[in-house]
Amino acid sequence: MRSRFLGRLGPADAVTVGNAALGFLAVVAVTVDIGLAARLVLLGAIADGLDGVVARKYGGTEAGPYLDSLADVATFGVAPAFLVAVVSLREWGMPASLLSGISLDGVLALAGVVVPALYVAAAVTRLGLYTAYDSDSDETVGVPTTLAATIFGAIVLTGYRSAETVLVGFHDAGFLLALAAVLTPLMLCDVVYPDLHAQDALVMGVVQAGAILLPGLYGRGFAFGLLYLALAYLVLGPVLYWRR
């Protein structure tokens, strides 16, 4: 007897579901080691590209696009947003501090929860619209959630914080919160981004793998390279990225 669920999934769908599991693991890792959480998000980005390769080789299923967007919500929406929220709460405390009077820390603590919530809402909206209108196109409207999450992951691994210490300082929390505030509306903007060509996606994947796997300065160097590539595509992709 064919399983109603598993029997209808293909090899590419298995990779996609694995990406969703990585998203959950990244959320858990945020509470323990933010560097590990960043690596898991970047590993999810590799899986997100790999499922397309597997689908082209072995064929996709009708459920594929829907599973892909659901997995992306977990790994590229919830995980980065939770990272920002945890960083903010560690720095400024719970938003409930507003009840005892308005203070800068209270306002920042509230922003540290509200902005990540809006980030998730924007990611869900963008992914839903992508599945409905752009999944069969070679371009997409708005900053891809994978790109936004890659920027978060790369920034963490460049060493904005030490993996051996707890997060300290306004600069760290404020920087990540500001980044989330900028990327949230960009995911819903009308700027058109062309899809990465296969060879460029492969280069990005290799750099991501180096940032994930290599220790010390080597891994940090790859993280900087990944950040530069991601930011270049973010800013220049809609204008200069060549198309066939």
Side-chain angles (χ1 to χ4, degrees):
M1 180 177 177
R2 187 185 184 190
S3 167
R4 186 182 189 286
F5 295 106
L6 297 182
R8 297 184 179 183
L9 298 181
D13 298 329
V15 177
T16 301
V17 171
N19 177 25
L22 288 170
F24 172 77
L25 292 176
V27 169
V28 174
V30 167
T31 64
V32 180
D33 185 330
I34 293 179
L36 176 59
R39 286 178 169 84
L40 289 168
V41 168
L42 294 182
L43 188 59
I46 293 177
D48 187 51
L50 185 60
D51 64 5
V53 175
V54 175
R56 285 189 290 273
K57 184 173 179 61
Y58 297 103
T61 66
E62 292 183 3
Y66 302 98
L67 293 173
D68 188 64
S69 288
L70 288 170
D72 288 356
V73 167
T75 308
F76 311 130
V78 175
F82 189 67
L83 187 152
V84 174
V86 167
V87 165
S88 300
L89 293 177
R90 285 179 180 173
E91 175 60 27
W92 298 306
M94 294 296 293
S97 60
L98 281 174
L99 298 177
S100 58
I102 296 177
S103 66
L104 178 59
D105 281 359
V107 172
L108 290 173
L110 183 61
V113 175
V114 172
V115 171
L118 293 175
Y119 182 94
V120 172
V124 170
T125 302
R126 202 207 100 75
L127 287 164
L129 293 174
Y130 174 83
T131 302
Y133 301 111
D134 295 339
S135 58
D136 293 328
S137 174
D138 59 356
E139 60 186 27
T140 185
V141 179
V143 170
T145 53
T146 309
L147 176 62
T150 295
I151 292 172
F152 271 111
I155 283 177
V156 170
L157 295 183
T158 55
Y160 95 105
R161 69 181 292 277
S162 168
E164 292 79 22
T165 60
V166 235
L167 192 77
V168 291
F170 168 82
H171 175 74
D172 295 331
F175 179 76
L176 290 181
L177 182 59
L179 180 63
V182 169
L183 290 174
T184 295
L186 288 181
M187 285 191 284
L188 300 179
C189 72
D190 290 332
V191 178
V192 177
Y193 281 83
D195 292 344
L196 284 175
H197 297 304
Q199 64 270 31
D200 299 328
L202 178 61
V203 170
M204 183 77 80
V206 169
V207 177
Q208 283 173 323
I212 294 167
L213 298 174
L214 294 178
L217 291 177
Y218 297 104
R220 189 178 180 190
F222 272 90
F224 272 111
L226 178 61
L227 180 60
Y228 294 147
L229 288 174
L231 290 177
Y233 183 65
L234 175 72
V235 176
L236 302 177
V239 180
L240 298 180
Y241 191 73
W242 55 274
R243 307 183 190 187
R244 290 175 180 166

